Amino acid sequence: MRVCTTTVLIASFACTANAFMPVMSARARVPVQLSMKETPSSEIVGSFDPLNLSSLDADKLLSNADRMASWAPLVALALLAPEAANAAGPDWGIFEGRTGSLLHPVVMGGTFLLSCSAALKGFQYRRQRTLGDDISVLKKTLPDLGGASTVNDAIAQAKAAENPDGALVAKLQAALPIQKEIDALVAERKDLSSKGLRDSHFSQGALLAFLGTAFAIEGPLNTYARAGKLFPGPHLYAGAGLVVLWAAAAACVPAMQKGNDTARSIHIAANVSGMALFAWQIITGWPILLKVTELTKWP
């Protein structure tokens, strides 16, 4: 700002000085040496010309000086123009209006639904993965099936023997409820396996981490573009904490793929806590949304 002010002052002085210059012909300004033979010694006037300007074209010197003086105000205005243009900050266009302001809440609302879907698929995949252990525990409670694959097959085999063992048949029949439970778990695992839960959960989680992080940053940027400052509060703090929890959950994936149960527990805890923060963000963000809608215009 000091540089621009100084430049304006110099340019103004140049214009003012040029304005008060007396109008004279080019020949009148050329220093003239008087001959001592034609003028008495008392009237001899010498010309002061240390730069030897008398040898140059006087008309050209005057035209250059006038041209520089006429350009000085334009140069001063050009130097001041950037300062005036940047005083109000950059123009963000549509991102300062209601369209850009509503982009954050709309995308984050969809991200919350995506988070719920990813959580559901994650628990379903966990169920699918642990069903094998539950089935194994139940199978250990069954009596000896004599090589049969199910209790029903074992009963049919025992009855078809030459000397049927009534006690064995009764024992096998008592195990039918357990077999029925095992069959239900096997059918459930088969149904879950057909849904491709592992890949679907991973894809939704990756998309959630990308969109959530991107628009968690976009929100404060939009606020700063509109208001020129941020407003720290529960909504902003919850969003920052949510991004940290997403990063922690994603960081557990490599260890989970190696069968680390501790990493799985941290992954689940981070995502459950993240959904709680997400719900709190919606509650704290609703008044902000109403305020933004009130203060902004389309587009």
Side-chain angles (χ1 to χ4, degrees):
M1 187 63 184
R2 290 183 179 179
V3 175
C4 293
T5 305
T6 305
T7 306
V8 174
L9 291 176
I10 293 173
S12 301
F13 290 150
C15 297
T16 305
N18 186 70
F20 286 96
M21 289 180 63
V23 180
M24 60 181 69
S25 65
R27 297 184 181 278
R29 296 187 187 181
V30 178
V32 180
Q33 293 184 348
L34 300 178
S35 173
M36 294 181 64
K37 293 181 179 181
E38 299 175 357
T39 307
S41 60
S42 60
E43 298 178 4
I44 295 177
V45 179
S47 65
F48 182 74
D49 189 14
L51 299 179
N52 196 24
L53 296 177
S54 61
S55 62
L56 301 177
D57 189 349
D59 292 331
K60 185 181 295 185
L61 288 175
L62 289 176
S63 62
N64 290 339
D66 293 339
R67 189 180 298 111
M68 292 175 62
S70 64
W71 276 96
L74 297 178
V75 174
L77 291 175
L79 291 174
L80 281 178
E83 189 75 18
N86 291 332
D91 182 11
W92 294 92
I94 193 173
F95 293 102
E96 289 187 13
R98 186 171 296 176
T99 302
S101 301
L102 293 181
L103 187 62
H104 175 79
V106 169
V107 173
M108 293 306 280
T111 306
F112 178 74
L113 297 178
L114 180 63
S115 179
C116 295
S117 176
L120 177 61
K121 293 183 182 301
F123 280 112
Q124 286 180 326
Y125 177 65
R126 180 179 176 83
R127 173 65 175 171
Q128 172 190 334
R129 189 175 53 82
T130 57
L131 277 176
D133 296 334
D134 296 339
I135 293 172
S136 298
V137 171
L138 289 175
K139 284 184 176 181
K140 291 180 180 179
T141 62
L142 292 175
D144 185 14
L145 301 180
S149 58
T150 63
V151 174
N152 291 326
D153 293 341
I155 292 174
Q157 182 179 338
K159 290 181 177 180
E162 294 182 359
N163 297 316
D165 187 350
L168 177 60
V169 172
K171 186 176 181 180
L172 291 173
Q173 288 177 341
L176 284 175
I178 300 176
Q179 182 63 54
K180 185 178 181 179
E181 187 176 354
I182 292 174
D183 293 340
L185 293 179
V186 170
E188 181 183 357
R189 183 174 63 175
K190 184 178 180 180
D191 179 62
L192 292 174
S193 299
S194 64
K195 295 179 180 180
L197 295 171
R198 181 179 180 275
D199 294 337
S200 180
H201 174 67
F202 183 85
S203 299
Q204 290 188 1
L207 182 61
L208 172 65
F210 169 71
L211 288 178
T213 303
F215 281 88
I217 297 174
E218 183 272 341
L221 288 179
N222 178 266
T223 300
Y224 189 81
R226 288 184 293 100
K229 62 180 179 178
L230 297 179
F231 302 92
H235 186 72
L236 184 63
Y237 299 146
L242 182 56
V243 172
V244 172
L245 290 174
W246 280 336
C252 295
V253 173
M256 292 167 56
Q257 292 175 339
K258 297 179 180 179
N260 191 318
D261 288 333
T262 301
R264 290 192 179 101
S265 299
I266 295 175
H267 178 82
I268 294 173
N271 280 303
V272 170
S273 301
M275 290 189 66
L277 275 181
F278 216 153
W280 186 31
Q281 246 198 333
I282 294 176
I283 296 173
T284 56
W286 184 254
I288 300 175
L289 174 61
L290 296 179
K291 192 70 174 179
V292 168
T293 306
E294 176 184 354
L295 298 178
T296 57
K297 297 180 180 179
W298 297 108

